[in-house]
Amino acid sequence: VGRPRFRLISNPEKQRRILRPDELAAFLTAALQRVPELVAYLALGEFAGLRNREMQGLTWPMIRPVDVHIPNAITKSRAVRFI
């Protein structure tokens, strides 16, 4: 089993934008086919708008049926967040 291969897209201006619904669907479909264990992580990041550091600090108990609890230790502002 090799590592999944992804084509990186150059973004020299570091522009951020919101993905269109068709782009997000294609992104998640590709992830599902290549690395299905990451789909929940990717979907949560896209739909909840979490920062990379917040995503990396999440554990399953923080993800609840009604919200996502982000403790102050991993937030940029050092304030607890509920999404």
Side-chain angles (χ1 to χ4, degrees):
V1 176
R3 293 177 54 110
R5 300 185 79 160
F6 293 94
R7 181 175 54 94
L8 297 177
I9 298 172
S10 176
N11 187 4
E13 296 175 18
K14 305 291 184 207
Q15 293 178 344
R16 295 181 185 202
R17 67 179 182 84
I18 297 172
L19 295 176
R20 295 187 320 258
D22 62 310
E23 291 174 323
L24 182 56
F27 173 69
L28 293 176
T29 298
L32 185 59
Q33 294 169 351
R34 291 173 178 83
V35 281
E37 62 274 12
L38 287 181
V39 172
Y41 177 87
L42 297 171
L44 184 61
E46 288 298 319
F47 289 109
L50 299 177
R51 296 177 179 94
N52 287 336
R53 184 165 188 254
E54 293 169 340
M55 290 294 298
Q56 293 168 1
L58 284 179
T59 60
W60 282 112
M62 295 174 193
I63 302 169
R64 305 181 297 202
V66 295
D67 62 12
V68 177
H69 170 243
I70 306 170
N72 63 340
I74 63 174
T75 64
K76 181 178 178 180
S77 65
R78 297 292 184 228
V80 173
R81 290 177 58 201
F82 292 93
I83 297 175

